Amino acid sequence: METKKKTREAHGYAALDSSGFLSPFSFTRRLNEDDDVTIKILYCGICHSDLHLARNELGFSVYPLVPGHEIVGEVIETGANVQTFKVGDRAGVGCIVGSCGSCDSCSQNLECYCKKFILTYSSTDRDGTTTYGGYSDIIVVHQRFVFSIPHSLPLHSAAPLLCAGISVYSPMRYYGLDRPGLHLGVVGLGGLGHLAVKFAKAMEMRVTVISTSPHKQKEAIQRFGADKFVISTDDEQMKEVMESMDGIIDTVSAAHPMQPLMDLLKVQGKLVVVGGSPEPLLVPSIPLLMGRKIVGGSICGGTKETQEMLNFAAENKIEADVEIIPISYVNTAMERLFKGDIKYRFVIDLISA
């Protein structure tokens, strides 16, 4: 006779169907095992992916769905094999909570590219249960996928680094867009974009923000340190920076024209897409051939690189600009996110939930 696995009660907010409306939801987490860390969640960022998945816009959502993969909090229990965390430590969890551990990607600490990766929510965990995310009070995660949050980073502004931060940091490192003096374009000044500017300036690059929103120019330059701001719908402004950029980090999570961005690249420039669009992006071949240009992609980052990013952020005083909200405000926040009405990341306060 099979023994029923012991669990602990948890509480959060879940979407029950593709309307995406979130409501109070009680569920269970597994009890802490030998390689696990249990975290009392204090803050959780709201990512655009949360909106996509809550509404099943990517087609693989599993309901009930508890979103959230920008999780920070306090360790309240550790397993017998856990050496790097102890009760009371500050800890975080990002987009992934499991992988096969043995493939080429896992051996390089690139677990996010493992064919068997386990998403923090709306995925199937190793025990066959559905994973639930950080819009909740506790989470139990294998130690490999738990990160130490440096003490110099405020927890509420560190939370978005676990998705938005690593999603721009990782491609900047991988594609070599991380050297002093390079000219980097950043498309979109939202949750990912504002962090891309901050990381790029810490790496001593020249940064041009490319946006459809003229009202963001002052903040891009005065608050985040961008060197230039270009309105993408203004042909004259775009012409001024044509063929001037070594690389572009494209954070837009909706379909948009690619050729105008490719035209901004130098010969052998790199356009890196990090925004997940439900619709296809059309890439013309001739500009690729004529300029030996690259259009690439990147999704979050592996465990080693994520901890490196957090340490780099702490050393360079890089924090996300956030609006802290109570969990009861989450549906309004989702509507505002859909409309782009946020500067620059919502973070749910779960301390007082």
Side-chain angles (χ1 to χ4, degrees), residues 85-158:
F85 292 95
K86 64 183 185 302
V87 172
D89 282 352
R90 293 151 50 96
V93 178
C95 302
I96 307 294
V97 293
S99 66
C100 77
S102 59
C103 68
D104 286 345
S105 293
C106 288
S107 66
Q108 298 176 68
N109 298 115
L110 295 172
E111 299 88 348
C112 54
Y113 300 109
C114 173
K115 298 297 184 184
K116 297 181 180 179
F117 70 70
I118 301 171
L119 294 173
T120 303
Y121 66 91
S122 197
S123 193
T124 302
D125 211 341
R126 64 180 189 267
D127 60 2
T129 60
T130 298
T131 57
Y132 295 120
Y135 295 14
S136 57
D137 54 356
I138 59 164
I139 191 166
V140 184
V141 180
H142 188 283
Q143 62 175 323
R144 179 170 181 163
F145 301 92
V146 179
F147 305 104
S148 175
I149 307 298
H151 281 277
S152 61
L153 288 175
L155 283 177
H156 63 273
S157 54

Side-chain angles (χ1 to χ4, degrees), residues 2-52:
E2 187 176 345
T3 304
K4 188 175 180 181
K5 195 161 188 166
K6 293 182 179 180
T7 59
R8 66 182 299 166
E9 194 174 73
H11 305 280
Y13 268 58
L16 303 181
D17 54 44
S18 60
S19 70
F21 185 82
L22 295 153
S23 56
F25 176 65
S26 295
F27 58 102
T28 58
R29 303 276 194 191
R30 69 175 181 269
L31 290 183
N32 203 90
E33 298 176 356
D34 286 348
D35 287 301
D36 286 337
V37 176
T38 299
I39 300 168
K40 178 184 178 182
I41 301 172
L42 303 179
Y43 297 99
C44 184
I46 297 181
C47 176
H48 216 285
S49 298
D50 297 346
L51 182 62
H52 287 318

Side-chain angles (χ1 to χ4, degrees), residues 57-72:
E57 292 175 351
L58 302 180
F60 60 83
S61 298
V62 178
Y63 297 102
L65 183 147
V66 178
H69 56 209
E70 297 180 342
I71 302 165
V72 293

Side-chain angles (χ1 to χ4, degrees), residues 167-168 171 177 184-188 192-193 196 210 247-259 261-262 270-277 281 295-298:
S167 292
V168 295
L177 302 173
L184 183 74
V186 175
V187 186
L192 275 69
I210 305 155
I248 295 174
I249 300 293
D250 183 356
T251 71
V252 177
S253 58
H256 56 286
M258 301 296 281
Q259 181 160 349
L261 300 177
M262 294 167 64
K270 302 164 185 176
L271 170 57
V272 186
V273 177
V274 298
S277 169
L281 298 176
V295 176
S298 183

Side-chain angles (χ1 to χ4, degrees), residues 194-216:
H194 88 289
L195 286 170
V197 174
K198 291 186 179 190
F199 278 116
K201 293 309 297 180
M203 295 171 186
E204 300 180 22
M205 288 191 278
R206 186 157 56 97
V207 180
T208 295
V209 172
I210 305 155
S211 175
T212 59
S213 306
H215 66 275
K216 292 185 177 181

